Amino acid sequence: MAGGWFETVAEAQRRAQKRLPPSVYSALLAGAEKGVTYRDNMSAFDEIGFAPLTAGMSGKRDLSTTFLGQEISLPVIISPTGVQAVHPDGEVAVARAAAARGTAMGLSSFASKPVEDVIAANPKTFYQLYWIGSRDDMLRRLDRARQAGALAIILTLDWSFSYGRDWGSPHIPEKLTFREAMRFAPEALRRPGWLWSFARTGHIPDLTAPNMAAADGTVPTFFGAYGEWMNTAPPSWDDVRWLVEQWEGPLLLKGVYRVDEARRAADAGVAAISVSNHGGNNLDGTPASIRALPAIVDAVGDQLEVVIDGGIRRGSDVVKAVALGARAVMIGRAYLWGLAANGQAGVENVLDVLRGGIDSTLLALGHSSIHDLSREDVLLPPDFVRALGTGDR
């Protein structure tokens, strides 16, 4: 393995930081404003304890489960993330890695690779949409996803971009012109391994959004597509219900955080929800996703599937989420660090790290299956749970 094996996601992050130009690395760290939610997403997991056994543990453990009708080998799914300029193969490498490890791929509509190429690499692909443009625009994107073979839709609503970041935001150009290339050159030259990985392909980092192509085939830049999103009115619950009806397949609504809205999502007919604050890149001051999970599971867990994203760095984090009622978790930064560190093999490495952590935690808890987990396996401190949207404060 050219990049070398790493044993933790933290080591993948360290290697990604060494390999990536500083502005590219800082883009992966981006959390809104002060970063309160970004930090709480991770630290909240540290507050949860376990109740392990001493003897009588199971000699074999089954980590497999299903999500949106698809069998997956472990309760970890690739969350959709935008333009993946950390590696030339981008989303295709991630899709191959997920397929090799038996799990599903979430593909962003802002991805740098076409949906057709990604689904060819991993047939278990869920295609992600933002609400951008008119209903006709949404129908055209749905049709392309359907024709490509997407198995489900992820509708992302948990993103209200904040311009203010206390540590500063990296400069990301609209297009990589000669002037911008010269501006970026000092950074890139300090990271020759990253620069060479693109140079040997004959292509510069792609800042377009091929899956956001207009009706006439015109492909916008990432920021062109982003600008259209900024100028589109946010969808209503009627719009969500309409999209469910148009897709006629499983739809995951990403970004549900309140109990009352979880109930509305169930009423709208979605098949699943993700308890998410967009990795801390949404409204800063929102509690960690894991804090909101139990109340939402209690409210709608018998009506739809619930997953969670935000702050997952270890297999034990996955076990904590599943014990609190999540069907699975979605990971974002963790696999991007693996991709930056060692391409497809790095993403496989991250999934193996999580698998190993899940397995060893199940062993210590005395369970033979991920489905045996319950809240009896974890210790929650007083006032850990945040039941938002219940009328209680």
Side-chain angles (χ1 to χ4, degrees):
M1 186 179 294
W5 180 263
F6 44 83
E7 296 183 348
T8 65
V9 172
E11 177 59 21
Q13 181 179 357
R14 285 190 287 269
R15 295 189 189 186
Q17 185 173 14
K18 289 180 180 179
R19 183 174 177 81
L20 294 175
S23 63
V24 177
Y25 176 74
S26 65
L28 300 186
L29 288 180
E33 297 182 335
K34 193 176 180 181
V36 172
T37 297
Y38 171 76
R39 292 190 297 273
D40 194 39
N41 272 346
M42 292 176 285
S43 63
F45 279 101
D46 298 338
E47 297 178 27
I48 304 173
F50 286 117
L53 298 181
T54 302
M57 278 84 86
S58 175
K60 295 181 178 180
R61 275 81 56 194
D62 180 10
L63 276 56
S64 64
T65 188
T66 61
F67 182 61
L68 295 180
Q70 301 302 310
E71 294 183 0
I72 51 178
S73 67
L74 75 168
V76 178
I77 302 159
I78 298 297
S79 188
T81 61
V83 177
Q84 294 178 6
V86 300
H87 190 276
D89 294 336
E91 295 84 1
V92 171
V94 177
R96 289 173 178 157
R101 293 303 183 260
T103 194
M105 169 76 181
L107 176 68
S108 173
S109 56
F110 284 176
S112 62
K113 304 296 183 184
V115 60
E116 294 82 5
D117 293 353
V118 173
I119 291 177
N122 187 344
K124 292 183 180 178
T125 293
F126 307 146
Y127 184 63
Q128 179 266 354
L129 292 173
Y130 290 101
W131 191 273
I132 299 175
S134 66
R135 283 190 171 188
D136 285 343
D137 293 325
M138 297 299 290
L139 286 175
R140 188 178 67 256
R141 294 176 198 126
L142 282 182
D143 185 61
R144 180 175 176 181
R146 185 182 293 111
Q147 293 295 324
L151 299 177
I153 291 295
I154 301 173
L155 177 61
T156 298
L157 300 185
D158 62 331
W159 191 19
S160 58
F161 185 78
S162 171
Y163 288 99
R165 301 173 191 276
D166 284 15
W167 51 86
S169 295
H171 173 75
I172 303 175
E174 174 80 14
K175 295 181 179 179
L176 201 56
T177 61
F178 178 79
R179 179 179 179 182
E180 290 291 351
M182 291 300 98
R183 175 176 179 167
F184 185 65
E187 277 193 55
L189 290 173
R190 293 200 302 271
R191 298 293 189 269
W194 177 86
L195 183 61
W196 172 243
S197 70
F198 280 94
R200 66 186 181 185
T201 69
H203 299 287
I204 60 176
D206 193 349
L207 300 180
T208 62
N211 298 309
M212 291 295 296
D216 63 2
T218 303
V219 176
T221 63
F222 171 83
F223 280 108
Y226 176 79
E228 186 179 1
W229 170 76
M230 292 280 287
N231 288 289
T232 299
S236 66
W237 282 105
D238 285 340
D239 290 324
V240 173
R241 186 175 295 105
W242 172 83
L243 197 66
V244 170
E245 294 169 351
Q246 301 307 310
W247 174 245
E248 297 180 345
L251 185 145
L252 163 66
L253 183 60
K254 186 174 181 293
V256 178
Y257 222 81
R258 298 164 53 101
V259 169
D260 51 359
E261 292 208 313
R263 292 190 175 114
R264 295 195 73 168
D267 291 341
V270 305
I273 57 175
S274 177
V275 182
S276 171
N277 51 46
H278 215 90
N281 205 13
N282 195 6
L283 178 64
D284 200 26
T286 303
S289 301
I290 193 69
R291 299 187 192 277
L293 175 66
I296 288 177
V297 169
D298 288 344
V300 300
D302 60 343
Q303 302 174 60
L304 43 71
E305 295 178 316
V306 181
V307 295
I308 183 175
D309 67 80
I312 290 95
R313 301 292 186 268
R314 299 167 185 83
S316 58
D317 294 340
V318 179
V319 171
K320 290 171 182 178
V322 174
L324 292 177
R327 175 62 64 92
V329 305
M330 303 178 76
I331 60 169
R333 291 182 180 89
Y335 79 77
L336 288 174
W337 289 325
L339 179 66
N342 199 19
Q344 176 182 336
V347 179
E348 293 175 6
N349 194 157
V350 165
L351 290 170
D352 288 343
V353 166
L354 295 177
R355 182 188 296 278
I358 297 168
D359 185 70
S360 62
T361 306
L362 278 184
L363 171 63
L365 294 175
H367 293 311
S368 60
S369 169
I370 198 78
H371 297 286
D372 295 335
L373 289 166
S374 73
R375 294 187 188 179
E376 297 297 316
D377 293 306
V378 294
L379 307 172
L380 296 182
D383 301 323
F384 178 85
V385 175
R386 302 290 188 268
L388 306 180
T390 64
D392 299 327
R393 296 290 183 183

